[in-house]
Amino acid sequence: MPHSDAAATLPLLNPHPHVSVVPIFDGHQCVIIDDFMLEPEALVDYAARNHAHFQDVSGNYYPGPELPISGTFAARIHDSFLQHARAPLKARRILDVKSRLSLVTRRPEELLPGQRLPHRDFTGLPPGQGAGAMVLYLFKDERFGGTSFFKPRMPEHEIKALLDDLQRREQAGEAAPPDVPPTFAIASSPHFDKVLTIAPRYNRAIFYCGEVFHSGHIDAPELMVNDPLTGRLTVNAFFRLRMAAG
C-alpha cells in the first residue's frame, strides 16, 4: 500500500507563489495559485510509483481512477486554503478536508449519464456550512484541459429533478435522454451556461466553491491515458467549511 504520510517524498508548498483572484458569477470567486509547489515533479513521481493503487471509486463521478492522499501533504493543502482562499471564498474555518490524486481515463462513450453534465461537489449542507474545492494541475500538455464553471439556466428544483432522473437512469441501466449527449461538459447547453474556463498550467492550483457547478474542460478526450507521467494527473481536494457570518 502507498505510504499514508509521504513527508519524505512529497514537496513543500512554495512560500511565495503567484496568486490571483477572478470572478465566476454571483459573488463566487476562483483563486488561482501558480508555482504552487517547490518541486511538483516529486508528487508526479509519487503518483507513478503508486499507480497500481489508483482505483475507480464507486459512487464518485470522477471519470477515472484515484488515490487518496492524507498526512503531511493534505495538511499543506489545508494551510494553503487558509492562507489564500479563506477570504475570497468567505470561509471562517475548515471543518474537514479530503484530497486525492486523480487521472482522467474515460472516453466520452463510457461516461455515465450524470458525468455528461457539470457537477457540484456538495449539496444539502447544514446552515452555516459551505464547501470549497481545489484542483492542482500536474501535467504539462495544456491540451488536456483546465476547469470550466457553469451557471444553471433553470431553477434549482428543475436542476435537481434533472440530476435525480439521470441518477435513476444510471441505477436502472437506462440510456441518458437525447438532450444529454455522451460528451464531457465543455460548453453551454440547454441546461447550463458556461461562464468561465480556467486554463491549465503545470503546478497551478485553483480554489473555488464546491457548490458551484463545474467540470474538467476535456475537449481532447482522445489524449487521455492511464499513466501519471503522461496523462491528465491532478490533485483534487474537498473542504467542508464553517462560513463567515454575513
Side-chain angles (χ1 to χ4, degrees), residues 53-246:
H53 300 290
F54 279 69
Q55 295 182 348
D56 285 284
V57 181
S58 176
N60 184 357
Y61 267 14
Y62 197 84
E66 301 171 300
L67 178 71
I69 306 176
S70 59
T72 299
F73 189 71
R76 293 170 186 163
I77 293 173
H78 176 286
D79 293 345
S80 181
F81 180 96
L82 293 179
Q83 182 178 357
H84 301 296
R86 174 166 52 181
L89 271 60
K90 303 178 178 64
R92 192 170 79 202
R93 61 187 176 91
I94 296 173
L95 299 176
D96 65 48
V97 57
K98 293 181 173 62
S99 55
R100 58 201 185 210
L101 287 155
S102 308
L103 277 167
V104 173
T105 58
R106 290 193 182 179
R107 296 293 185 260
E109 62 272 15
E110 299 172 326
L111 295 175
L112 296 170
Q115 290 176 318
R116 305 172 184 183
L117 294 178
H119 66 278
R120 296 178 285 198
D121 299 320
F122 294 85
T123 58
L125 291 171
Q129 291 189 21
M134 184 203 80
V135 178
L136 168 62
Y137 306 111
L138 290 172
F139 53 87
K140 295 181 179 179
D141 190 340
E142 296 184 4
R143 297 178 299 168
F144 289 172
T147 303
S148 288
F149 296 93
F150 297 82
K151 184 175 183 177
R153 286 184 166 182
M154 53 188 67
E156 170 65 23
H157 71 276
E158 293 184 23
I159 285 291
K160 185 177 185 305
L162 170 65
L163 299 178
D164 287 347
D165 178 64
L166 292 178
Q167 187 176 49
R168 180 194 63 78
R169 289 172 181 265
E170 291 171 13
Q171 294 171 347
E174 299 176 6
D179 61 346
V180 184
T183 61
F184 287 96
I186 60 173
S188 295
S189 71
H191 310 293
F192 295 92
D193 282 318
K194 187 182 77 172
V195 295
L196 176 68
T197 297
I198 303 296
R201 184 176 296 168
Y202 183 61
N203 202 21
R204 164 179 283 179
I206 63 172
F207 291 90
Y208 52 89
C209 173
E211 297 172 281
V212 172
F213 281 97
H214 57 280
S215 178
H217 190 86
I218 301 166
D219 60 356
E222 69 279 3
L223 299 177
M224 302 298 114
V225 294
N226 191 7
D227 183 345
L229 295 176
T230 58
R232 191 183 188 276
L233 178 68
T234 59
V235 172
N236 297 76
F238 309 92
F239 306 86
R240 191 165 56 89
L241 307 170
R242 176 69 61 191
M243 303 305 291

